[in-house]
């Protein structure tokens, strides 16, 4: 059977798009390989600037109920393995069946960048997002006492979540420097990015940021005055002058070796110490999960501010391939509210394209809404996200100037 | 051993579902409805989900959201099932993927080639 719309990904972007399309009478199927709807929204739990709490499980439930009540068909635990264009239709291959639709939205979200530290394959070492989901979604402690390697917005938010669940976090610290991880391992770079983000957002990181600011006021080189024992956030020491050099254990994590580092991330000899922990979280940042858009044949651009390679798209969430749309973190790393707002835009774009531009006004308004939410969003993953968005628009304009023809059919 | 987070200052209390009995590497364990294979094993104190196909080193979950394939196990004779995104079911028979035989490599190593 042919559907009007297939959506890959039941995160905030995919579900918001599905609700919008279904409310306008379209027949929508959403496919997700996870066993629950909500995507990465599920694990989120942070304090809003007004003091209320953003509870990802509740937000996911809301979206799920709206989707089901508007007639969206949801297929969970179903991985999409391939997509292919045939005539005017998109074929979507899952491990069970092949589905067809004229409109396809790829809303596959983001993934965590691997950030290997010696010993990282031992059981008990996990990405920081893994600990988030284990704690808040599965409600199992990832361990009794852990350490977080990588200091950034996401790891700071998750450190607090572990603390809330009464899990002991020894400290947050940096990884040992290697040729790939300068942004995460050199104290100067980390401090710069923290100061930058804290500037813009009242998110958890501001609490580190504003503490750092105090030092900044004393001396431009915040790092020089950064105390060796770290500064504390929710009682968790943030160590910007230490790095984990080795995770050790026989057949699971038993501890880490931690050393002092200079401002450039170089290990200070003979400063190594062992700390016993039973789990380790590694955080190397997020990148857009865009394989499926690549398979479909969408052109890609590397835009650092958006988190990596991003499929070419415009503010209407269209790609140059007719009937192919993208929304959410696949278009750049941002918080869940932006992803949801982009989903609504993608939904309206699909409706508008199908119904002879009858929803032009609503679409314009929804696009404005994305911009507003982006500015107000408490979680900013990249301080220059707006620049990234502008670059993408420029690439889009250039692409159509060079390729005279409109959409690729 | 890892514990269940029953009470949380902000999230709803954990609701105990019905018990689920399953087999992992020939031993019987109990998980709770709503667990994934990975969370049911972790709450039972088990972190090692598989052994590296060649080197035999132990591996556990890494991303917990289906992206890295570090957690793949054998479920009811089906290979390569991701333990972190597969809900546990009554009577499931789960096995760690073991070291695969590598006769050529073994021969080389033994003969120092
Ligand atoms: C580990 C992790 C933790 C995060 N934590 C936070 C946080 O604490 N706060 C915050 O503001 N932001 C966080 N984010 C950012 C997050 O990506 C956004 O907040 C938001 O969830 C993005 O929404 P989305 O709809 O674009 O994608 P997602 O919410 O990621 O949803 C995408 C969905 O697509 C599904 N999918 C992907 N590929 C396939 C496939 N081939 N077949 C079938 N289904 C597929 C996935 O299973 C997933 O459910 C996190 C991201 C990650 C990766
Ligand atoms: S832990 Fe990464 S796929 Fe399961």
């Amino acid at each position: 059977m042919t559907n009007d719309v297939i959506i890959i990904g039941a995160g905030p972007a995919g579900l918001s798009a599905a609700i919008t399309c279904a409310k306008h009478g379209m027949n929508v199927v959403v496919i997700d390989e996870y066993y629950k709807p909500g995507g990465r929204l599920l694990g989120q739990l942070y304090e809003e600037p007004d003091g209320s709490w953003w509870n990802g499980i509740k937000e996911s439930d809301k979206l799920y109920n709206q989707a089901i009540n508007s007639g969206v068909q949801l297929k969970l635990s179903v991985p999409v393995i391939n997509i292919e264009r045939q005539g005017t239709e998109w074929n979507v291959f899952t491990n069970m069946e092949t589905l067809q639709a004229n409109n396809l939205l790829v809303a596959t979200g983001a993934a965590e960048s691997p950030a290997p530290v010696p010993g990282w394959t031992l059981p008990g070492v996990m990405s920081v997002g893994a600990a988030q989901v284990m704690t808040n979604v599965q409600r199992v402690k990832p361990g009794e006492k852990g350490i977080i390697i990588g200091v950034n917005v996401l790891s700071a938010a998750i450190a607090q979540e572990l603390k809330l669940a009464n899990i002991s976090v020894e400290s947050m610290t940096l990884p040992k420097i290697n040729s790939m991880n300068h942004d995460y391992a050199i104290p100067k770079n980390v401090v710069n990015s923290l100061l930058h983000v804290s500037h813009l957002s009242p998110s958890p990181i501001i609490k580190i940021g504003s503490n750092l600011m105090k030092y900044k006021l004393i001396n431009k080189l915040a790092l020089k005055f950064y105390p060796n024992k770290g500064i504390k956030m929710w009682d968790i020491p943030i160590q910007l002058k230490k790095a984990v050099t080795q995770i050790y254990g026989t057949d699971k994590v038993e501890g880490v070796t931690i050393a002092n580092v200079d401002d450039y991330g170089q290990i200070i000899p003979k400063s190594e110490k062992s700390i016993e922990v039973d789990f380790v979280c590694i955080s190397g940042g997020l990148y857009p999960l865009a394989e499926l858009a690549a398979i479909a044949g969408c052109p890609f651009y590397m835009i650092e501010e958006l988190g990596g390679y991003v499929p070419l798209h415009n503010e209407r969430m269209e790609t140059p391939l007719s009937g192919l749309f993208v929304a959410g973190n696949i278009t750049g790393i941002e918080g869940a509210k932006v992803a949801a707002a982009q989903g609504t835009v993608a939904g309206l774009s699909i409706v508008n394209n199908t119904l002879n531009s009858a929803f032009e006004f609503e679409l314009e308004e929804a696009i404005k809404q994305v911009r507003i939410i982006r500015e107000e969003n408490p979680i900013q993953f990249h301080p220059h996200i707006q620049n990234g968005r502008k670059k993408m628009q420029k690439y889009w304009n250039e692409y159509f100037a060079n390729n005279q023809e409109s959409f690729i059919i | 051993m890892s514990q269940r987070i029953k009470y949380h200052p902000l999230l709803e209390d954990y609701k105990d579902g019905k018990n689920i009995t399953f087999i992992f590497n020939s031993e019987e364990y109990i998980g709770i409805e709503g667990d994934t294979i990975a969370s049911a094993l972790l709450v039972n104190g088990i972190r090692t989900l598989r052994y590296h196909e060649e080197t035999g080193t132990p591996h556990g979950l890494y991303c917990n959201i289906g992206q890295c394939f570090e957690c793949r196990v054998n479920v009811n004779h089906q290979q390569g099932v991701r333990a972190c995104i597969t809900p546990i079911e009554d009577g499931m028979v789960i096995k760690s993927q073991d070291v695969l035989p590598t006769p050529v490599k073994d021969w080389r190593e033994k003969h120092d080639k």
Side-chain angles (χ1 to χ4, degrees):
Chain A
M1 189 192 101
T2 298
N3 306 281
D4 296 326
V5 190
I6 296 176
I7 297 176
I8 308 174
L15 288 179
S16 303
I19 294 164
T20 308
C21 290
K23 281 194 175 152
H24 289 87
M26 297 185 99
N27 169 335
V28 188
V29 182
V30 180
I31 309 171
D32 198 304
E33 65 177 352
Y34 204 59
Y35 66 105
K36 283 174 186 273
R40 305 295 77 88
L41 176 56
L42 280 166
Q44 299 180 15
L45 187 62
Y46 61 85
E47 198 175 355
E48 298 270 22
D50 68 3
S52 64
W53 286 82
W54 172 257
N55 177 336
I57 294 180
K58 283 207 177 130
E59 298 298 327
S60 299
D61 277 351
K62 275 190 220 159
L63 286 172
Y64 169 74
N65 288 328
Q66 279 183 53
I68 295 303
N69 293 337
S70 27
V72 171
Q73 198 194 338
L74 195 58
K75 290 179 187 270
L76 295 173
S77 294
V78 177
V80 171
I81 46 190
N82 193 9
I83 52 186
E84 226 174 62
R85 178 90 202 199
Q86 207 175 48
T88 58
E89 290 200 331
W90 289 98
N91 285 331
V92 176
F93 301 86
T94 74
N95 60 344
M96 325 271 275
E97 59 186 335
T98 306
L99 294 130
Q100 279 101 24
N102 290 324
N103 298 293
L104 174 61
L105 169 64
V106 185
T108 45
E112 281 189 82
S113 314
V117 172
W120 74 292
T121 58
L122 273 174
V125 182
M126 62 193 84
S127 73
V128 78
Q132 174 182 54
V133 173
M134 201 44 100
T135 303
N136 294 343
V137 181
Q138 281 111 23
R139 297 291 284 271
V140 174
K141 288 188 179 181
E144 283 305 314
K145 183 178 159 205
I147 189 164
I148 297 178
I149 307 176
V151 182
N152 52 56
V153 196
L154 185 62
S155 69
I158 296 175
Q160 185 189 26
E161 292 168 18
L162 295 177
K163 199 81 195 175
L164 282 168
N166 212 5
I167 299 162
S168 156
V169 181
E170 169 69 27
S171 66
M172 294 179 70
T173 184
L174 305 182
K176 179 184 177 183
I177 192 166
N178 63 39
S179 58
M180 306 286 291
N181 69 0
H182 287 190
D183 284 352
Y184 301 104
I186 299 184
K188 272 174 182 289
N189 297 351
V190 177
V191 167
N192 273 338
S193 70
L194 290 178
L195 284 174
H196 227 112
V197 180
S198 73
H199 221 74
L200 299 167
S201 78
S203 71
I205 213 87
I206 196 165
K207 292 177 182 140
I208 314 177
S210 56
N211 273 327
L212 282 175
M213 282 294 184
K214 282 190 276 189
Y215 297 100
K216 199 182 180 188
L217 294 178
I218 305 168
N219 187 303
K220 275 192 193 124
L221 279 173
L223 210 49
K224 195 166 165 196
F225 288 93
Y226 196 86
N228 249 333
K229 60 178 181 13
I231 50 179
K232 283 194 175 176
M233 177 186 67
W234 310 295
D235 243 11
I236 303 170
I238 317 252
Q239 311 272 21
L240 296 179
K241 286 180 154 180
K242 291 186 200 279
V244 169
T245 56
Q246 177 77 43
I247 304 166
Y248 62 82
T250 320
D251 45 37
K252 60 180 182 207
V253 173
E254 288 163 25
V256 298
T257 311
I258 191 165
N260 294 342
V261 294
D262 66 17
D263 293 0
Y264 301 92
Q266 299 301 323
I267 311 277
I268 295 170
K270 301 213 178 81
S271 66
E272 281 165 331
K273 268 189 8 195
S274 309
I275 298 175
E276 275 183 32
V277 289
D278 68 346
F279 76 100
V280 175
C281 298
I282 302 187
S283 182
L286 300 174
Y287 68 92
L289 194 65
E291 275 102 337
L292 286 175
I295 292 176
C298 194
F300 271 74
Y301 291 87
M302 167 73 201
I303 302 182
E304 202 224 311
E305 294 91 332
L306 301 182
Y309 283 93
V310 177
L312 183 62
H313 64 278
N314 61 11
E315 276 197 310
R316 298 171 163 241
M317 301 292 123
E318 294 166 324
T319 71
L321 308 181
S322 95
L324 184 75
F325 300 79
V326 287
N329 273 206
I330 187 177
T331 74
I333 305 304
E334 295 196 71
K337 290 180 190 169
V338 175
Q342 287 180 318
T344 304
V345 170
L348 281 170
S349 249
I350 293 170
V351 171
N352 193 51
N353 289 1
T354 312
L355 301 176
N356 299 323
S357 304
F359 288 86
E360 218 28 67
F361 176 74
E362 286 82 351
L363 182 53
E364 292 292 334
E365 288 302 304
I367 292 172
K368 276 188 209 148
Q369 203 54 34
V370 173
R371 292 194 205 120
I372 294 170
I373 292 174
R374 175 168 296 135
E375 270 162 34
E376 291 172 353
N377 200 33
I379 297 236
Q380 295 268 1
F381 287 92
H382 199 289
H384 303 299
I385 185 80
Q386 313 267 17
N387 275 354
R389 294 291 173 197
K390 277 189 201 133
K391 280 187 194 166
M392 179 47 82
Q393 191 60 44
K394 199 175 122 247
Y395 287 133
W396 176 270
N397 297 341
E398 282 170 11
Y399 184 88
F400 281 92
N402 296 337
N403 290 276
Q404 291 305 312
E405 87 270 31
S406 53
F407 288 85
I408 303 169
I409 310 272
Chain B
M1 187 156 123
S2 283
Q3 296 164 25
R4 188 70 69 181
I5 303 158
K6 296 214 168 171
Y7 308 103
H8 192 287
L10 296 164
L11 299 174
E12 275 178 32
D13 289 350
Y14 175 78
K15 284 190 209 75
D16 257 349
K18 80 175 205 295
N19 280 1
I20 305 268
T21 311
F22 64 98
I23 313 273
F24 177 67
N25 290 345
S26 311
E27 292 210 27
E28 198 175 281
Y29 294 94
I30 294 180
I32 289 180
E33 189 171 26
D35 267 328
T36 58
I37 296 174
S39 71
L41 285 170
L42 184 58
V43 88
N44 278 287
I46 294 172
R47 290 194 187 273
T48 299
L49 299 174
R50 71 181 173 98
Y51 297 90
H52 191 274
E53 285 78 352
E54 270 181 45
T55 58
T57 51
H59 284 245
L61 69 88
Y62 187 76
C63 73
N64 200 22
I65 51 169
Q67 294 173 345
C68 72
F69 285 76
E70 277 294 305
C71 64
R72 54 193 188 270
V73 289
N74 201 307
V75 177
N76 301 339
H77 301 296
Q78 195 189 332
Q79 276 195 354
V81 176
R82 285 168 285 176
C84 70
I85 60 168
T86 307
I88 195 85
E89 283 171 21
D90 241 329
M92 254 186 184
V93 178
I94 305 155
K95 276 186 65 159
S96 286
Q97 254 157 273
D98 261 332
V99 184
L100 295 175
T102 50
V104 177
K105 190 167 159 262
D106 293 349
W107 184 87
R108 280 212 192 107
E109 273 164 14
K110 215 154 122 197
H111 295 82
D112 215 18
K113 303 268 154 135

